[in-house]
Structures are given as structure tokens and as C-alpha cells.
Amino acid sequence: MSAPKLTLKSGREKSLLRRHPWIFSGAVERLEGDPQPGDTVEVYAADGRWLARAAYSPRSQIRARVWTFAEDELVTPEFLRSRFARALAARQSSVFSLQSSANHQLSAARLVNAESDFLPGLIVDRYADWLVCQFLSTGAEKWKREVVAVLDELVPNAGIYERSDVDVRAKEGLPPVTGVLSGAPPPELVEIEEHGCRFLVDVQRGHKTGFYLDQRDNRALLAGYASGREVLNAFAYTGGFGVLALKGGAAHVINLDSSTAALELAQRNFELSGFDGRRATHHIGDAFAVLRQYRDAGRQFDLIVLDPPKFAESQSQVERAARGYKDINLLAFKLLRPGGLLFTFSCSGVIDSALFQKIVADAAVDAGREAQILRRLAQSADHPVALSFPEGEYLKGLVCLVE
Ligand code: SAH
């Protein structure tokens, strides 16, 4: 039986020739054969030219995701093995070693970053001895068993755990799934090290795969600016930026978050690193409301971190999200003492860095504060962005100095 064949509409091969891995449903002229979800299809241009081999996803707007653009490369367990080996090799080379953590054991990192590591739909994060995976597309799902076998072969581990409890799976017609894929179940909390600080990570129930690994470099940077400062860490999660602020000599840190569970863990993370409890406060509440309360009470800070969740999932939500970003940034500008620093982030992929900068600039104007950008921040180096896949760039941040 010949392989299923997907032919594109005329002109719609352009993005593939630039090696973008997504084929949208609207680009498909016809499908021959009867591929099941996740099956490999041969992709052809309208003029009959072979283009790629891709994983088929009948329910998704992204109808197929390219595994390979090389005609002689078949999608097999060996193929997966070589892609994983490439991702791991990149992380072992010196380019990935992280500035301030270079002297420390890096026990938590992203090993595979999906499309940007040429493995569409696949995320693998390491937390000490445990690997945590997300299978986000039908293609990734189909090869789950082989992926687990390859990981067991290439990365020494105590256990592999699945955290495919994410909304994007619904778009692929896949149910949410969590559980042990191989080896031992992870403990309630896994202890990791980052920049010489220790953190407890709830890989079974925490956000994403348990920790915001993408902010690692930015947390280290913050430590260098924190000395003697009164810090407000808004949207704190388990206190990552707060711990690094104290390590950098901050006078005091408030961790603000709406999640009680996250702040309980933040408290434990502060204790684990041995900081004097009087240097930290935990405030449970809605940041939009609490920042207003602080403003009304005349509270002032020397350094504020704003690291909110994704406000916009799609283009249609950009306007509302922009209002949300502007609101919290405006409040933050009002709460900063002269000479204060704002570390402000957006992880909404649909809000690009130019728009984000404009939102922050508007907030400063409305707050009546003059500010300068000292640095532009992005996701850590273990979350690379393939040049052919600009969608992989989602985290952006600014460090602003306020007059
Ligand atoms: N800076 C953190 C990650 C922040 S993730 C780190 O480096 O680990 C975003 C956090 O915002 C989550 O912990 C979530 O609980 C919290 N959050 C979401 N909406 C909120 C709101 N309205 N007010 C306060 N916290 C909120």
C-alpha cells in the first residue's frame, strides 16, 4: 500500500520551502489514502514536487506538522533517536551553559523544545532524576512509546512522567493525560538546583511541567540588581524571582500570587535556601486588586517584577490583553520609588516585543513617569527558537529604570 499523500494548493508550498513546519487546513488541496491521526503523510506541492514528510492531524487547523524536509529520511524510531540526540548535544555544548550558573550543577532544564528542536509537539523537561514530557500533537502522541524508549536509552533517569494535561491537546482531538510512562513515579516534590539556590518542584500538579524554566536566565539577572532593594514579586508562583532577589541581597521581598498552593511552596523554597523569614512576606490575592491597594495605601518599592500568565491566546484577545498589561504596568510605575527598577514580562506569543514595548511606554506616560529600557529579556537558552519557526519566541521582557 502506498503512503498517504497530501497535496498543497498552488502557491501554498512557500512556507514549507522556508522550512516552516506547519501545514494549515486551508493550504491543503487534496488528501489521498486514509491516514489515521498521527500517521505520516507525504507532502507534495501542486506541481507534484515532493516537499516533506509530516504527521497528519485531521481535527486540527494545523492539519500536518513536518517531521522532515529530507526525502531520504524516513520517520522511524531511529529518526526520533537522532533528533533527540541532536537536541541533547546542543544542550551539552558550551553555548548553552548559563552565565551565572556556570559553576553550579544545572539540575533542571528543557531538553526538547518541540518545533524549535525539530520535534513538533514534543516537550521534555528534566527535574533532577526525573523527566517530564508533554505530547501536544497527534504526531507526538503516536510515537509516545518509541519516545519513552529513546529517552530511557539516551538520558539516565529514575522515571519518566507525562504532563499532557494541557488545553492545546483538545485542538488535536486528544484527551488530557497524566501519569508514569516509565520507571518510578516522581516524589510529591522534586528538589532542583538553580543558580546555587534550591527549589521544590511539584511536577505532578504544578504549572506547565512544574517550574518556569524559561525564566531561569532572567532570575539570575535579577539577583544582580537586587542588593538592598525592597522587592515586589508580582505573579510570583513558587517564588523563583523572590529567592534570587534575596540571594542578591534584597532587603525584603513580597511574593504576590492568587494561588495559595504556589505561595505555600514559595514559603518552603525561601526556607530551603536558608533565608531569614523576616526578609520575606507572602501575599495571596488578585494582583490587579492588590496593586491598587498598595497604590492607595502609598506603598513604595525599589524593584517590581511583573510576570503574569498568558493574557492572550489568540489574535482576537490581543486588545483585551493589552489593556491588562497596561493596567498592571501603570500601577507598577506608580509604586516605584525614584531610581526603581521594573522587570516586566509578557509570555503571550501573539503580543510581539514591539507591541509590548509600546504598551509599557503608554503605561509609563499615563503614570507620569519617565523610564529607560536597560535590557531586553527573552526565554532561556534551553528554550531555543528555530529561525524557521518564529512562533517559538513567546517570552519577552524589559528591565526599565524609572526616574
Ligand atoms: N515568575 C514565576 C512564574 C509566574 S507564572 C516564576 O518565575 O516561577 C504566573 C503566576 O501568576 C501563576 O503563579 C498564577 O498563579 C499567578 N496569577 C494568575 N493570575 C493572577 C492574578 N490575577 N493575580 C495574582 N496572581 C495571578
Side-chain angles (χ1 to χ4, degrees):
M1 204 186 76
S2 63
K5 183 171 164 183
L6 191 151
T7 304
L8 302 185
K9 289 179 180 160
S10 174
R12 298 302 290 268
E13 72 284 1
K14 286 202 187 88
S15 63
L16 270 81
L17 295 175
R18 293 182 54 79
R19 297 190 161 236
H20 191 283
W22 288 352
I23 297 165
F24 287 95
S25 57
V28 176
E29 177 71 37
R30 66 176 181 279
L31 176 72
E32 293 157 73
D34 182 27
Q36 299 305 298
D39 280 357
T40 303
V41 294
E42 304 286 320
V43 184
Y44 289 86
D47 63 8
R49 208 166 13 142
W50 187 93
L51 293 171
R53 233 162 243 128
Y56 181 63
S57 188
R59 300 272 290 272
S60 175
Q61 287 292 320
I62 304 173
R63 190 53 43 91
R65 295 182 201 227
V66 173
W67 285 120
T68 178
F69 293 98
E71 195 162 6
D72 59 358
E73 194 169 50
L74 297 177
V75 183
T76 61
E78 293 71 49
F79 161 81
L80 293 173
R81 190 182 184 286
S82 77
R83 287 284 163 103
F84 275 99
R86 176 175 165 190
L88 294 171
R91 279 146 183 88
Q92 276 154 12
S93 73
S94 58
V95 288
F96 264 86
S97 70
L98 301 146
Q99 326 124 357
S100 68
S101 67
N103 300 326
H104 297 293
Q105 174 69 26
L106 187 66
S107 65
R110 176 149 297 185
L111 302 183
V112 175
N113 194 34
E115 271 78 347
S116 283
D117 275 307
F118 314 102
L119 284 162
L122 263 169
I123 300 280
V124 183
D125 290 339
R126 183 159 67 94
Y127 294 100
D129 295 330
W130 274 267
L131 301 179
V132 185
C133 302
Q134 293 182 322
F135 297 83
L136 305 175
S137 63
T138 54
E141 179 79 10
K142 181 186 165 79
W143 292 94
K144 192 180 284 180
R145 249 188 332 164
E146 290 79 3
V147 165
V148 170
V150 165
L151 282 173
D152 268 332
E153 182 198 333
L154 296 181
V155 190
N157 69 81
I160 304 180
Y161 192 76
E162 176 171 18
R163 281 296 305 275
S164 297
D165 49 336
V166 280
D167 296 342
V168 290
R169 286 202 15 132
K171 297 185 182 169
E172 297 276 318
L174 298 168
V177 185
T178 61
V180 175
L181 290 170
S182 100
E188 193 83 355
L189 296 169
V190 178
E191 191 174 314
I192 61 156
E193 183 176 330
E194 184 186 275
H195 312 304
C197 297
R198 308 206 64 85
F199 292 93
L200 297 168
V201 179
D202 184 347
V203 300
Q204 296 180 57
R205 283 166 300 269
H207 295 180
K208 307 223 276 185
T209 59
F211 203 62
Y212 287 85
L213 297 169
D214 52 358
Q215 288 283 26
R216 182 194 313 105
D217 294 4
N218 301 328
R219 284 190 283 264
L221 185 79
L222 177 114
Y225 283 104
S227 180
R229 291 185 188 262
E230 254 186 82
V231 177
L232 172 59
N233 181 21
F235 306 94
Y237 189 50
T238 56
F241 279 107
V243 166
L244 268 297
L246 288 188
K247 183 171 189 239
H252 186 265
V253 172
I254 297 178
N255 278 330
L256 166 61
D257 203 281
S258 54
S259 159
T260 309
L263 286 184
E264 274 169 13
L265 213 44
Q267 170 84 44
R268 291 184 64 181
N269 285 334
F270 274 58
E271 289 161 5
L272 193 64
S273 289
F275 295 120
D276 179 347
R278 284 168 301 187
R279 288 173 70 204
T281 310
H282 295 86
H283 193 150
I284 301 166
D286 172 17
F288 289 86
V290 173
L291 293 175
R292 281 192 166 70
Q293 287 162 19
Y294 287 169
R295 177 199 62 192
D296 295 343
R299 296 281 295 268
Q300 295 270 275
F301 300 91
D302 306 303
L303 194 163
I304 297 177
V305 182
L306 295 178
D307 186 21
K310 202 194 276 183
F311 286 164
E313 297 280 349
S314 63
Q315 206 57 41
S316 65
Q317 296 170 348
V318 164
E319 221 180 283
R320 218 195 58 193
R323 280 198 296 277
Y325 287 119
K326 176 154 175 217
D327 192 26
I328 52 174
N329 280 279
L330 196 161
L331 289 162
F333 277 121
K334 291 202 168 184
L335 292 173
L336 281 165
R337 293 195 179 94
L341 292 169
L342 175 63
F343 278 64
T344 182
F345 295 96
S346 163
C347 60
S348 304
V350 289
I351 294 196
D352 66 19
S353 45
L355 175 57
F356 184 59
Q357 180 175 326
K358 184 172 181 308
I359 294 167
V360 175
D362 288 350
V365 168
D366 286 9
R369 303 298 294 271
E370 195 139 65
Q372 297 161 293
I373 297 172
L374 303 187
R375 283 178 189 271
R376 297 170 185 282
L377 308 178
Q379 61 221 48
S380 303
D382 54 346
H383 295 57
V385 181
L387 277 173
S388 52
F389 186 67
E391 292 87 345
E393 181 180 347
Y394 63 97
L395 182 64
K396 59 213 69 83
L398 297 171
V399 182
C400 295
L401 173 64
V402 181
E403 108 297 355

